Amino acid sequence: MRHTTKWLIGPCALAAMVAGITAPVTGRTGDPRVSLVDRPAEHRVDVIIDGKPFTSYLYGLPFKPVLFPIRSAAGAVITRGYPLEPRAGERADHPHHVGHWFNYGDVNGFDFWGHSEETPPTSKPNMGTIVHKAVVRIAGGRDRGELTVRADWQIPDGSTLLQEETRFTFSGGPGRRMIDRVTIWTATARPVTFGDTKEGAFAIRVARALEQPSTEKAVIVGPDGTKGAPRQDNTGVTGNYLGSDGRTGDDVWGTSGPWMSLAGVVDGKPVTVAIFDHPSNHGYPNYWHARGYGLFAANPFGRKGYDPKQDAASFTMKPGEVITFRHRILVSDRHLTAGDLKQEHAAFAGGSAR
């Protein structure tokens, strides 16, 4: 078991390393189709499927570990680069939206969701940090690869509210990639209460091409990698949400359902990204914090934060109590229909949630 107790690498250095991911030579009989390459000196674990980079688990960041970037089977990058690896033409907003992550905006009154390099000093006493503690297990294989990690949810006084163990299962084949995430939280020495807020929780920040066209002005990364003046520009923006209730576009925000998808065209290739909520999860079916500007998130705790007509929700874990969440991210190289997605969710919900 390997432990990391302090941040040894900054976002800029990590971006350069991620850009230089190389895949191992494959093709020999018995080689794993899914390989996980441990790079402890660079504070990351790379995931390669069929010889092609899929994603990396980055644990050298100062506020939370993330999966970044995430690619389709065809090689299209479906996550935004900013702020780790800014790409010209993408939005430069919400610096706490990085790759894929899972946290929340009101845990005993502390905000784990919004913590970033741009958090004002006056807000720091109210912010939480997810601190990576250990890479527990790494395993590749013919059908899947697995990564198990541990982390602590810490508040500014240095104490830990939650201990987290997460098992990622990575798989894929022609035209598809999947991430199954089993997340186990254990309350430590005090009760832990999740308040009602829209700011959460199981999330992806998608690439510019998967955003929805907008009439609003946005701060866009310029050719030199820095923020430009706000402008309205939908060049290459092709995304559209589809909810399990049939709603599309901006109408999906604040709805509740077992799955949601976001489809578009990235680098000239069709892509669908879907998130599936498991029936065993607290709050099932969860609410969707799905924004046209590229935030795609499932929230098991918020209620009034999405629908002011509802009573505020609250969920408390007693000391030592454990809660488990199961989610799936599917990236497809085609535009999936509602029927396709219903079948995909049924397979996830009915299978052994690893």
Side-chain angles (χ1 to χ4, degrees), residues 252-300:
V252 303
W253 187 86
T255 60
S256 174
W259 58 263
M260 184 168 289
S261 74
L262 176 59
V265 177
V266 183
D267 298 333
K269 305 177 182 74
V271 173
T272 299
V273 182
I275 296 176
F276 300 103
D277 186 20
H278 196 273
S280 66
N281 289 344
H282 171 81
Y284 179 87
N286 55 211
Y287 276 73
W288 295 99
H289 191 14
R291 296 293 199 184
Y293 62 75
L295 173 65
F296 185 9
N299 188 334

Side-chain angles (χ1 to χ4, degrees), residues 140-194:
R142 292 297 300 171
D143 298 321
R144 64 180 63 90
E146 292 187 1
L147 170 67
T148 301
V149 294
R150 290 180 183 153
D152 287 348
W153 290 46
Q154 293 185 354
I155 56 177
D157 68 4
S159 62
T160 297
L161 298 183
L162 294 169
Q163 293 178 325
E164 175 177 312
E165 180 166 298
T166 295
R167 182 170 71 253
F168 296 100
T169 302
F170 305 99
S171 60
R176 60 189 283 126
R177 296 286 184 263
M178 286 198 308
I179 302 166
D180 285 351
R181 177 171 180 159
V182 178
T183 310
I184 303 170
W185 295 337
T186 303
T188 55
R190 73 191 83 175
V192 177
T193 298
F194 296 82

Side-chain angles (χ1 to χ4, degrees), residues 58-304:
L58 305 184
Y59 57 92
L61 304 181
F63 306 108
K64 58 182 177 285
V66 302
L67 295 182
F68 175 91
I70 299 174
R71 300 173 177 85
S72 71
V77 177
I78 63 100
T79 45
R80 181 180 70 162
Y82 180 86
L84 295 187
E85 194 177 50
R87 298 189 291 264
E90 67 183 7
R91 287 180 185 252
D93 58 28
H94 298 84
H96 51 286
H97 295 173
V98 181
H100 160 64
W101 71 101
F102 188 12
N103 62 13
Y104 196 61
D106 184 355
V107 186
N108 282 12
F110 293 94
D111 180 3
F112 287 81
W113 174 265
H115 203 180
S116 78
E117 297 283 1
E118 296 184 12
T119 299
T122 53
S123 298
K124 287 287 187 180
N126 300 316
M127 309 303 287
T129 301
I130 300 180
V131 180
H132 169 89
K133 303 300 290 185
V135 172
V136 178
R137 181 174 184 268
I138 296 176
R142 292 297 300 171
D143 298 321
R144 64 180 63 90
E146 292 187 1
L147 170 67
T148 301
V149 294
R150 290 180 183 153
D152 287 348
W153 290 46
Q154 293 185 354
I155 56 177
D157 68 4
S159 62
T160 297
L161 298 183
L162 294 169
Q163 293 178 325
E164 175 177 312
E165 180 166 298
T166 295
R167 182 170 71 253
F168 296 100
T169 302
F170 305 99
S171 60
R176 60 189 283 126
R177 296 286 184 263
M178 286 198 308
I179 302 166
D180 285 351
R181 177 171 180 159
V182 178
T183 310
I184 303 170
W185 295 337
T186 303
T188 55
R190 73 191 83 175
V192 177
T193 298
F194 296 82
D196 192 319
T197 176
K198 64 180 176 60
E199 305 299 351
F202 184 92
I204 309 171
R205 181 61 192 260
V206 300
R208 177 68 167 160
L210 290 172
E211 294 176 19
Q212 296 186 158
S214 172
T215 59
E216 298 179 355
K217 290 185 177 181
V219 175
I220 302 296
V221 175
D224 60 354
T226 63
K227 296 181 182 181
R231 70 175 190 265
Q232 195 270 327
D233 183 0
N234 287 314
T235 303
V237 177
T238 65
N240 188 45
Y241 284 107
L242 171 63
S244 57
D245 62 357
R247 298 189 204 191
T248 61
D250 291 333
D251 290 340
V252 303
W253 187 86
T255 60
S256 174
W259 58 263
M260 184 168 289
S261 74
L262 176 59
V265 177
V266 183
D267 298 333
K269 305 177 182 74
V271 173
T272 299
V273 182
I275 296 176
F276 300 103
D277 186 20
H278 196 273
S280 66
N281 289 344
H282 171 81
Y284 179 87
N286 55 211
Y287 276 73
W288 295 99
H289 191 14
R291 296 293 199 184
Y293 62 75
L295 173 65
F296 185 9
N299 188 334
F301 301 112
R303 292 294 180 267
K304 191 177 181 66

Side-chain angles (χ1 to χ4, degrees), residues 6-69:
K6 62 181 179 178
W7 310 110
L8 300 176
I9 189 164
C12 292
L14 271 170
M17 292 174 182
V18 170
I21 290 174
T22 57
V25 175
T26 61
R28 297 183 300 271
T29 301
D31 277 345
R33 285 188 53 255
V34 185
S35 301
L36 276 69
V37 182
D38 190 11
R39 304 186 189 277
E42 299 168 6
H43 300 88
R44 81 176 201 251
V45 178
D46 294 339
V47 182
I48 296 109
I49 299 181
D50 290 332
K52 296 186 290 187
F54 176 28
T55 190
S56 295
Y57 173 74
L58 305 184
Y59 57 92
L61 304 181
F63 306 108
K64 58 182 177 285
V66 302
L67 295 182
F68 175 91

